[in-house]
Amino acid sequence: MAVQRKWPNVTRLVKDKAVVIFSKSSCCICHNIKTLICSFGANLTIYELDERADGQQIEKELIALGCKPCVPAVFIGQELVGGSNEMMSLHLKGKLVPMLIKERAIWLLK
């Protein structure tokens, strides 16, 4: 696939994961987004780019995908959802939890 050739690191890291957040450990906005998603009890994977040897390459791939700034970058169901503005907008519209449920990142008991 073309996506795999253009963005091999990002593609590999989000594969088969319900929720992936690309972050930097010193970023307070990233912390807020991680806290928001964790508050639902979501099963997520977090990659701290400033703690990875390939972090700069992943940053370049995220920018090429349209993430500006490059973190936080949230993928739900292997699809790029966006950054902090998109995540907060989805949350305020009541659309974030249904997305997480659909991708089996969280389960709700009735």
Side-chain angles (χ1 to χ4, degrees):
M1 289 178 105
V3 172
Q4 291 176 338
R5 277 184 262 136
K6 287 184 180 180
W7 305 291
N9 293 307
V10 172
T11 302
R12 174 179 48 83
L13 294 171
V14 301
K15 185 179 181 186
D16 300 325
K17 294 183 178 69
V19 180
V20 172
I21 301 175
F22 291 96
S23 174
K24 288 189 177 177
S25 60
S26 61
C27 174
C28 62
I29 300 297
C30 294
H31 174 76
N32 290 339
I33 296 303
K34 292 182 284 190
T35 300
L36 172 67
I37 296 175
C38 286
S39 73
F40 302 119
N43 177 21
L44 68 149
T45 302
I46 300 169
Y47 296 109
E48 301 291 357
L49 299 185
D50 55 336
E51 297 175 357
R52 294 180 58 94
D54 59 353
Q56 287 184 336
Q57 180 58 39
I58 293 169
E59 272 189 63
K60 290 176 186 176
E61 291 181 20
L62 291 169
I63 290 168
L65 279 165
C67 298
K68 294 177 185 169
C70 64
V71 296
V74 181
F75 287 75
I76 299 176
Q78 294 84 48
E79 295 293 325
L80 175 63
V81 175
S84 59
N85 289 341
E86 292 82 6
M87 295 303 296
M88 292 308 295
S89 178
L90 286 169
H91 176 56
L92 293 173
K93 292 177 182 176
K95 295 181 178 181
L96 179 57
V97 169
M99 289 176 75
L100 295 171
I101 292 170
K102 179 181 177 227
E103 294 303 324
R104 298 182 181 190
I106 60 174
W107 295 267
L108 293 180
L109 300 175
K110 295 189 179 201

